[in-house]
Amino acid sequence: MARPPPLEELPRCCHTPPIRSVAPQILAGSLKAPLWLRAYFQGLLFSLGCRIQRHCGKVLFLGLLAFGALTLGLRVAVIETDLEQLWVEVGSRVSQELHYTKEKLGEEAAYTSQMLIQTARQEGENILTPEALGLHLQAALTASKVQVSLYGKSWDLNKICYKSGVPLIENGMIERMIEKLFPCVILTPLDCFWEGAKLQGGSAYLPGRPDIQWTNLDPEQLLEELGPFASLEGFRELLDKAQVGQAYVGRPCLDPTDTHCPPSAPNHLSRQAPNVAQELNGGCHGFSHKFMHWQEELLLGGMARDVQGQLLRAEALQSTFLLMSPRQLYEHFRGDYQTHDIGWSEEQASTVLQAWQRRFVQLAQEALPENASQQIHAFSSATLDDILHTFSEVSAARVVGGYLLMLAYACVTMLRWDCAQSQGAVGLAGVLLVALAVASGLGLCALLGITFNAATTQVLPFLALGIGVDDIFLLAHAFTEAPPGTPLQERMGECLQRTGTSVALTSINNMVAFFMAALVPIPALRAFSLQAAIVVGCSFVAVMLVFPAVLSLDLRRRHCQRLDVLCCFSSPCSARMIQILPQDLGERTVPVGIAHLTTTVQAFTHCEASSQHVVTILPPQDHLVPPPSDPLSSELFSPGGSTRDLLGQEEGTRQKAACKSLPCARWNLAHFARYQFAPLLLQSQAKAMVLVFFGALLGLSLYGTTLVQDGLSLTDVVPRGTKEHAFLSAQLRYFSLYEVALVTQGGFDYAHSQRALFDLHQRFSSLKAVLPRPATQAPRTWLHYYRNWLQGIQTAFDQDWAAGRITRHSYRNGSEDGALAYKLLIQTGNAQEPLDFSQLTTRRLVDEEGLIPPEFFYVGLTVWVSSDPLGLAASQANFYPPPPEWLHDKYDTTGENLHIPAAQPLEFAQFPFLLHGLQKTADFVEAIEGARAACAEAGQAGVHAYPSGSPFLFWEQYLGLRRCFLLAVCVLLVCTFLVCALLLLNPWMAGLIVLVLAMMTVELFGIMGFLGIKLSAIPVVILVASVGIGVEFTVHVALGFLTTQGSRDLRATRALERTFAPVTDGAISTLLGLLMLAGSNFDFIVRYFFLVLTVLTLLGLLHGLMLLPVLLSILGPPPEVVQMYKEGPRVLGLATPQGGRLGWGASPTLHQNFARVTTSMTVALHPPPLPGAYIHPASDEPTWSPADSGSSNFGSRANH
């Protein structure tokens, strides 16, 4: 086989017009600026494609180099797993409030929670039995004994737990003993019984006594024994105020037969098991009855009561262990002898806590045997962090599997029996190129500082692959089915000229859609949207610049008749390329083996400036008669039948040099669209059925939109069937409690706003969602505790004054509380004269209205904080600035102790509350609105306050989510209309596209309602992006219809014929890209991404290939160029050859103002000329030659 010449040496394919005078076709239409603008744009694309083909090797190398360099940016990628950073709205009031809280208190919470929930294996069974409580004790005791060894030290619960309100004692021995014995804060139903002491691991040693533990500690008896050896009056008063009593040894034993059950237990002698429901009625207490009251709702779930309100049964138990935060643990052991040799740091403290928490969960879940009647669900903050880290990890297996599946599909789809037409290697290279573009886009995002999250790692690689491969299929189809007669040197230019507009339109719309989705003010979704837009942009650059270079190299392979994929071997079955010039045809002869022939001929377009009309003269075509088998073929394949070839399909077979294709190989999607699908779809009855079907679908979807609920809970995110999901499900069902706080800011005078603060607390307490305090319990706020403490010491002072133990000049004989009141009553708040002893009997620490005198307020705050640590801890006030430390010494004789430093004006304080009954998003929204309304009313009274807590962090977004969604979709539809109108230059067509896209969005929203998918920020992003993704399925058909001539039905048929294959391939590629999401371990990924995006793809396919063609056949805009037929011998005159050249001659009757443009396809033009077009000077007889044809460079072939 002779070696073909190089591409650069091939002559340009030029056709000489037949020398015969026959009535020609004349195309005429009004001159339109849109036609010229798109022709200009396509001319630029043509020039770009030709340059890429000419320098394909350089372009490919530089493109791969650039994308590879950007891919290196993935090395600096940061994966964000902090829930607050991911889900708190940027710039919202919640964000500002969170910033204020962190500015005043620091980054971390006061403690972290580890929880145990116990439920019966048989649903609905009563769990309030001694046996069930015994199993709960077994699990809790196993978890509380956890020890981990790190950094050469052993860490147990007593070292890392959160201890509330440890008092400062001047007696060193007592202080060390209290430090070891002071109990951890554990909220458990076991605290109603003596067995609750077993969870406290502290112990102390005193000579002559066994180890002191909470299981055998009677504080009252211990103080009696130590009284002769130390002055413990202040400590005794502290315990009395806290109502510690006998602590645990005075409580009933769950198992009275236990040998360690103390004699002081109420049922020690009777040996009868307690009535669990009766003991738990009203809740339990820690070691302090006054400050450590655990309400029933914190301990029991699924409760049932009798008519008197007494507790009868419950279905779940909960115990909560509180640990210090990493910062607190670091501060607690900083400088301690136990950590001085390990370089103690906050990172090490965090590692210790996480290791202990993971071991806690593991042992708690394994504490009960599998055949036990009860089951334990354990959870910790470390568990949540682990879930988020796992959720954010990239699944290498799924990514590789998805891309291999796409590679296989692209290769198989583009393989052909004719090796010269096969593009399997192009498909492989295209998918790999898109993969590289996706990686480079993500690398660019990392370099720009956009953090990654679960949506980025789990979804974006597959979604971007599916979207990017769509355009690969489009260009590959167009490149293979180039119009006959296209010079090889211009094949890439011709391809980009015909498809570049579509690719640009879809990519720009996708980018605009994702940028618009970034309007959703959720950081995680904003980052995902920006990353998706950047990745789509990188894919667009790769498809428009680098992939044409791949096609150009493949063209060289085809020209050299090499095998596809195995390009090192010659093809034994390559098609022989045939060039037929019109003069080579005889009177009625067509080469054997060519069933159909489409030829490209030279034509002249005459533009008259005065009449604003275009007249394009084509040569006679009586020798090129299409086969009569297709009634539409005379219009579909005539040279003047289309003003633009979107995807030219050459359906005739070619003469083979060595072998012929199998008959089944002639069938393809384009053949199916033309001969089966389009004729059936465009029948009148079919059109009516399509309109009725989509109308019914729209109506049903509108109903489905009413079923969509707002919300996204952790149970939707955590994989089903896991222990974590079981815990979260049980917690949501039985313990839907949330700790919140009402934060008061600075900017107002607390001392003069006490009444407003009390009113604010009352309004907040009256909210439906706020868990009410028992009638016997005082409100748990710092202002109430502070006031009550002042009233208590005032009462003690009054008693001491009346008894003469305190006088004007001495308080040493009075009680500790009386002495404190004495020191406060003489304070004036005046720096010049700070003390006034005459106020002892004329002033009160709390007036008759229950308010603290403003001059005492900040001085008294200092004393209360220093003297009542348990009350301060129970109030969870978190004052900022913190009041100064001040130690009271009743026996100080210097008088210095009388001067009490006043606390600085408060800038931060909080009232704690518990919200309950929050099951649905509507419950959260109602609670949030009520809390905000209470704060707004307080603002009118001058108190600056805001609510704080997880419901306000993560659920407040739903207050305006639907409004944000509607705004984003409407703005995006307007932007899509403008972009389509700008690039299509046809507002009519742009309006139809936007109508279809709006229907798709509504239908997708409605189907979400039927699938039970809740509306949150994630579905909102997909719904907004659906507008851009839907353009992929509509714009190709619309552009094919717009640039085709004939009736509406004929234009719709031709548009379907040329776009059915690439649109279908694109949809399948998108589905294959999404298929890997179905294998995710997270049900959330499957439901919220795979299902929603799959439904979106199917809707796009149906609307793009069924509804839109039907609408276009009924309401479509007119063609851009109208075909007209005129006959007359004077239209075209024969030019005589000059100098061996053949020439076309214009009629002598044509006006001299006509400008003539030599082109090879029909085009509507108006000066100024298109890029690359060759304009002859006005003369009576233009000439033509191969050289002249070469100068035109096909730049004017806009195919309009």
Side-chain angles (χ1 to χ4, degrees):
M1 181 180 295
R3 179 179 178 84
L7 292 181
E8 292 80 358
E9 300 177 7
L10 290 176
R12 297 185 180 272
C13 180
C14 306
H15 301 288
T16 305
I19 309 175
R20 184 170 180 178
S21 180
V22 181
Q25 298 181 42
I26 300 176
L27 301 180
S30 59
L31 190 62
K32 300 180 180 178
L35 207 59
W36 184 92
L37 289 174
R38 193 175 326 117
Y40 185 86
F41 179 62
Q42 290 176 332
L44 296 176
L45 292 174
F46 177 82
S47 300
L48 175 64
C50 290
R51 290 188 177 92
I52 292 176
Q53 181 173 345
R54 191 177 306 119
H55 306 287
C56 55
K58 299 176 183 177
V59 172
L60 182 61
F61 173 77
L62 293 176
L64 295 179
L65 184 64
F67 285 128
L70 289 176
T71 303
L72 296 177
L74 290 173
R75 295 169 60 91
V76 299
V78 176
I79 298 180
E80 182 63 72
T81 59
D82 185 357
L83 281 176
E84 292 180 0
Q85 297 297 324
L86 289 173
W87 292 103
V88 177
E89 296 184 25
V90 178
S92 64
R93 60 183 176 186
V94 175
S95 176
Q96 296 171 3
E97 292 162 359
L98 183 63
H99 175 74
Y100 185 86
T101 300
K102 290 183 175 181
E103 179 185 3
K104 303 304 179 184
L105 298 185
E107 292 290 331
E108 295 182 347
Y111 50 79
T112 58
S113 301
Q114 338 308 310
M115 289 163 283
L116 297 179
I117 293 179
Q118 176 179 322
T119 58
R121 292 190 183 274
Q122 184 175 354
E123 186 175 353
E125 182 179 334
N126 181 28
I127 205 170
L128 298 184
T129 63
E131 295 76 17
L133 265 293
L135 292 175
H136 193 74
L137 171 64
Q138 179 180 339
L141 191 60
T142 301
S144 67
K145 301 304 180 184
V146 168
Q147 290 188 358
V148 294
S149 296
L150 286 174
Y151 311 114
K153 310 293 179 183
S154 179
W155 306 88
D156 58 15
L157 176 63
N158 197 52
K159 286 184 178 180
I160 65 176
C161 71
Y162 176 74
K163 299 182 179 182
S164 173
V166 180
L168 298 176
I169 306 296
E170 294 184 359
N171 188 297
M173 180 188 69
I174 301 299
E175 183 180 12
R176 287 191 297 271
M177 186 176 67
I178 290 178
E179 183 180 356
K180 293 181 178 180
L181 277 177
F182 203 83
C184 300
V185 178
I186 304 175
L187 288 69
T188 174
L190 297 171
D191 273 350
C192 282
F193 309 94
W194 166 77
E195 281 77 2
K198 293 184 178 182
L199 302 182
Q200 304 293 343
S203 64
Y205 171 76
L206 285 178
R209 289 180 57 93
D211 284 350
I212 301 176
Q213 299 178 346
W214 282 102
T215 54
N216 60 16
L217 173 61
D218 183 347
E220 293 179 347
Q221 181 182 353
L222 180 63
L223 289 178
E224 290 292 339
E225 296 177 1
L226 295 178
F229 306 100
S231 176
L232 299 175
E233 183 180 353
F235 185 57
R236 186 191 303 273
E237 289 188 7
L238 180 65
L239 294 182
D240 289 342
K241 289 180 181 178
Q243 300 175 9
V244 173
Q246 290 183 303
Y248 290 98
V249 297
R251 303 175 189 182
C253 297
L254 267 176
D255 181 12
T257 62
D258 190 334
T259 57
H260 295 95
C261 181
S264 54
N267 60 343
H268 175 74
L269 296 178
S270 66
R271 300 291 179 177
Q272 293 182 356
N275 186 329
V276 174
Q278 182 178 346
E279 295 294 336
L280 289 173
N281 189 62
C284 299
H285 298 85
F287 80 95
S288 168
H289 278 253
K290 180 177 181 180
F291 298 118
M292 295 183 177
H293 176 250
W294 322 135
Q295 293 181 245
E296 293 172 329
E297 291 80 2
L298 293 171
L299 310 175
L300 305 175
M303 292 180 289
R305 303 179 184 274
D306 60 16
V307 292
Q308 285 81 27
Q310 296 298 310
L311 181 64
L312 292 178
R313 61 193 312 275
E315 298 179 9
L317 302 173
Q318 177 175 257
S319 291
T320 305
F321 295 73
L322 302 186
L323 304 184
M324 285 187 281
S325 66
R327 172 62 62 84
Q328 287 178 326
L329 184 60
Y330 166 70
E331 295 290 346
H332 181 74
F333 283 100
R334 186 176 62 173
D336 191 272
Y337 73 95
Q338 300 181 64
T339 58
H340 74 281
D341 59 338
I342 62 174
W344 184 241
S345 66
E346 191 170 342
E347 291 74 15
Q348 290 176 324
S350 178
T351 302
V352 168
L353 287 172
Q354 291 180 358
W356 194 93
Q357 289 171 321
R358 293 187 179 99
R359 186 64 176 162
F360 169 89
V361 171
Q362 178 185 356
L363 292 183
Q365 292 173 342
E366 299 172 354
L368 301 185
E370 294 184 359
N371 59 354
S373 62
Q374 307 290 315
Q375 54 186 348
I376 293 293
H377 311 289
F379 197 80
S380 71
S381 56
T383 307
L384 181 58
D385 292 338
D386 292 341
I387 291 173
L388 292 176
H389 280 289
T390 304
F391 190 51
S392 303
E393 288 178 354
V394 179
S395 175
R398 287 195 294 114
V399 171
V400 172
Y403 278 68
L404 287 178
L405 188 62
M406 187 69 73
L407 284 169
Y409 175 77
C411 183
V412 171
T413 302
M414 295 187 178
L415 283 174
R416 297 290 184 272
W417 290 98
D418 183 353
C419 299
Q421 297 295 321
S422 182
Q423 292 182 300
V426 169
L428 294 175
V431 173
L432 292 176
L433 178 61
V434 172
L436 179 62
V438 171
S440 65
L442 293 176
L444 178 58
C445 294
L447 293 174
L448 293 176
I450 303 176
T451 58
F452 288 25
N453 54 67
T456 305
T457 57
Q458 297 281 339
V459 177
L460 190 54
F462 307 104
L463 178 61
L465 175 65
I467 294 176
V469 173
D470 293 354
D471 294 331
I472 294 293
F473 282 117
L474 186 65
L475 262 68
H477 276 276
F479 191 74
T480 303
E481 308 295 345
T486 303
L488 292 179
Q489 296 91 335
E490 301 176 355
R491 289 288 294 275
M492 199 62 249
E494 177 68 28
C495 177
L496 282 186
Q497 178 177 269
R498 290 183 292 125
T499 59
T501 303
S502 298
V503 173
L505 188 57
T506 55
S507 298
I508 291 174
N509 270 284
N510 275 326
M511 286 188 288
V512 171
F514 283 116
F515 278 127
M516 292 304 302
L519 291 176
V520 178
I522 307 300
L525 281 308
R526 176 167 292 179
F528 172 79
S529 301
L530 293 175
Q531 288 162 344
I534 292 174
V535 167
V536 169
C538 289
S539 299
F540 174 59
V541 173
V543 170
M544 289 294 288
L545 298 181
V546 183
F547 188 64
V550 175
L551 290 173
S552 301
L553 290 176
D554 186 68
L555 180 62
R556 294 174 180 266
R557 189 269 308 169
R558 293 163 59 188
H559 174 65
C560 295
Q561 301 175 359
R562 298 285 183 177
L563 284 174
D564 189 15
V565 182
L566 304 175
C567 56
C568 295
F569 301 95
S570 299
S571 168
C573 186
S574 59
R576 179 165 53 89
M577 302 182 66
I578 304 174
Q579 291 188 358
I580 304 174
L581 299 180
Q583 69 267 25
D584 295 334
L585 299 176
E587 289 293 326
R588 288 177 298 276
T589 61
V590 176
V592 178
I594 299 181
H596 175 69
L597 177 65
T598 302
T599 184
T600 302
V601 298
Q602 293 293 324
F604 292 102
T605 301
H606 303 274
C607 307
E608 185 180 10
S610 60
S611 62
Q612 297 290 302
H613 280 75
V614 177
V615 178
T616 302
I617 304 175
L618 302 178
Q621 304 175 50
D622 58 331
H623 291 284
L624 303 177
V625 181
S629 59
D630 181 10
L632 298 176
S633 62
S634 60
E635 295 182 84
L636 287 176
F637 288 97
S638 62
S642 173
T643 58
R644 178 181 179 274
D645 288 328
L646 175 65
L647 288 174
Q649 303 281 348
E650 182 180 351
E651 302 208 19
T653 60
R654 299 188 178 199
Q655 184 178 12
K656 307 302 177 183
C659 60
K660 294 185 178 180
S661 302
L662 295 176
C664 62
R666 299 172 185 169
W667 187 94
N668 55 31
L669 289 174
H671 184 279
F672 169 76
R674 174 181 176 182
Y675 291 102
Q676 282 87 33
F677 183 73
L680 177 63
L681 179 68
L682 297 179
Q683 294 179 4
S684 300
Q685 299 87 343
K687 291 180 184 179
M689 292 177 62
V690 168
L691 294 177
V692 170
F693 169 76
F694 281 97
L697 179 61
L698 180 61
L700 194 63
S701 299
L702 288 173
Y703 170 73
T705 58
T706 63
L707 304 178
V708 178
Q709 299 180 355
D710 294 346
L712 178 65
S713 62
L714 276 177
T715 53
D716 296 325
V717 177
V718 177
R720 295 180 183 271
T722 61
K723 295 179 180 179
E724 293 79 8
H725 187 274
F727 171 87
L728 292 171
S729 299
Q731 185 187 46
L732 181 64
R733 177 177 180 181
Y734 296 116
F735 301 100
S736 185
L737 289 171
Y738 296 88
E739 293 185 2
V740 300
L742 185 59
V743 176
T744 52
Q745 303 171 263
F748 70 97
D749 188 354
Y750 281 71
H752 290 86
S753 303
Q754 296 175 60
R755 176 57 60 196
L757 288 171
F758 283 123
D759 291 343
L760 172 60
H761 175 267
Q762 180 60 37
R763 280 194 296 268
F764 207 92
S765 300
S766 62
L767 295 178
K768 174 184 175 182
V770 173
L771 182 65
R773 299 285 297 176
T776 57
Q777 294 289 329
R780 192 164 56 99
T781 70
W782 67 268
L783 192 56
H784 288 88
Y785 282 140
Y786 177 27
R787 183 184 65 179
N788 294 343
W789 179 82
L790 288 176
Q791 289 174 335
I793 65 174
Q794 178 72 63
T795 301
F797 173 83
D798 292 341
Q799 293 174 353
D800 290 340
W801 183 273
R805 293 188 293 270
I806 293 181
T807 64
R808 180 183 177 93
H809 303 290
S810 176
Y811 54 82
R812 273 194 260 175
N813 295 326
S815 63
E816 292 285 340
D817 285 352
L820 281 174
Y822 179 95
K823 294 180 180 181
L824 281 175
L825 286 170
I826 62 176
Q827 305 296 318
T828 64
N830 188 339
Q832 301 297 327
E833 297 180 2
L835 304 178
D836 184 358
F837 292 92
S838 64
Q839 296 181 160
L840 285 171
T841 56
T842 60
R843 302 294 300 271
R844 309 287 294 178
L845 296 178
V846 179
D847 63 21
E848 296 178 354
E849 297 181 0
L851 302 179
I852 304 168
E855 59 271 20
F856 293 159
F857 187 86
Y858 285 108
V859 174
L861 193 64
T862 298
V863 177
W864 174 64
V865 167
S866 302
S867 305
D868 190 16
L870 289 176
L872 176 65
S875 71
Q876 301 179 33
N878 287 329
F879 291 129
Y880 183 86
E885 289 187 3
W886 178 81
L887 289 178
H888 164 62
D889 183 5
K890 189 174 73 170
Y891 301 102
D892 176 54
T893 58
T894 63
E896 290 295 329
N897 203 238
L898 295 177
H899 297 278
I900 304 174
Q904 298 181 43
L906 294 176
E907 298 178 15
F908 185 97
Q910 61 184 24
F911 299 153
F913 292 93
L914 282 175
L915 302 184
H916 72 125
L918 303 182
Q919 297 286 340
K920 301 179 180 179
T921 302
D923 300 329
F924 286 94
V925 171
E926 181 182 0
I928 292 171
E929 290 177 341
R932 293 293 181 184
C935 293
E937 291 183 20
Q940 297 176 357
V943 175
H944 306 288
Y946 62 85
S948 175
S950 57
F952 304 97
L953 288 179
F954 305 122
W955 274 271
E956 185 149 340
Q957 58 178 287
Y958 295 103
L959 295 179
L961 183 63
R962 293 192 178 234
R963 183 181 68 253
C964 181
F965 161 57
L966 184 61
L967 174 64
V969 169
C970 292
V971 172
L972 180 55
L973 287 174
V974 172
C975 292
T976 301
F977 174 81
L978 296 176
V979 171
C980 291
L982 180 64
L983 293 183
L984 294 179
L985 302 167
N986 193 307
W988 188 341
M989 181 63 76
L992 289 177
I993 292 176
V994 169
L995 173 64
V996 173
L997 294 178
M999 290 181 61
M1000 286 177 53
T1001 304
V1002 173
E1003 289 163 5
L1004 179 61
F1005 191 34
I1007 292 175
M1008 283 173 47
F1010 291 111
L1011 294 177
I1013 297 175
K1014 300 177 183 178
L1015 184 67
S1016 63
I1018 292 175
V1020 164
V1021 168
I1022 297 178
L1023 286 166
V1024 173
S1026 68
V1027 178
I1029 296 174
V1031 174
E1032 296 271 357
F1033 302 98
T1034 56
V1035 73
H1036 305 313
V1037 177
L1039 198 52
F1041 179 88
L1042 193 62
T1043 57
T1044 305
Q1045 296 181 30
S1047 64
R1048 285 192 173 103
D1049 283 350
L1050 177 63
R1051 294 160 64 202
T1053 301
R1054 189 174 180 93
L1056 279 174
E1057 177 196 357
R1058 295 176 174 179
T1059 60
F1060 192 89
V1063 169
T1064 303
D1065 284 336
I1068 295 175
S1069 68
T1070 301
L1071 291 175
L1072 289 176
L1074 298 174
L1075 185 61
M1076 290 298 101
L1077 298 179
S1080 174
N1081 295 328
F1082 292 89
D1083 183 68
F1084 170 77
I1085 294 292
V1086 177
R1087 286 170 53 79
Y1088 282 79
F1089 285 98
F1090 172 73
L1091 276 181
V1092 175
L1093 290 172
T1094 299
V1095 170
L1096 170 60
T1097 304
L1098 296 177
L1099 285 176
L1101 199 61
L1102 290 174
H1103 285 75
L1105 298 182
M1106 290 184 64
L1107 178 61
L1108 183 59
V1110 170
L1111 290 179
L1112 292 176
S1113 68
I1114 300 173
L1115 303 173
E1120 294 176 336
V1121 178
V1122 180
Q1123 188 175 36
M1124 300 174 60
Y1125 293 90
K1126 294 184 180 180
E1127 294 186 1
R1130 301 182 63 186
V1131 175
L1132 180 66
L1134 180 62
T1136 59
Q1138 297 182 5
R1141 298 181 178 179
L1142 292 175
W1144 286 92
S1147 173
T1149 60
L1150 292 176
H1151 196 275
Q1152 294 298 321
N1153 289 335
F1154 278 102
R1156 288 175 288 279
V1157 181
T1158 302
T1159 67
S1160 60
M1161 293 294 288
T1162 302
V1163 64
L1165 298 173
H1166 188 277
L1170 302 182
Y1174 181 80
I1175 299 184
H1176 295 278
S1179 64
D1180 293 336
E1181 188 176 350
T1183 59
W1184 174 92
S1185 70
D1188 295 334
S1189 177
S1191 65
S1192 70
N1193 199 27
F1194 278 71
S1196 58
R1197 287 194 288 163
N1199 297 340
H1200 287 286

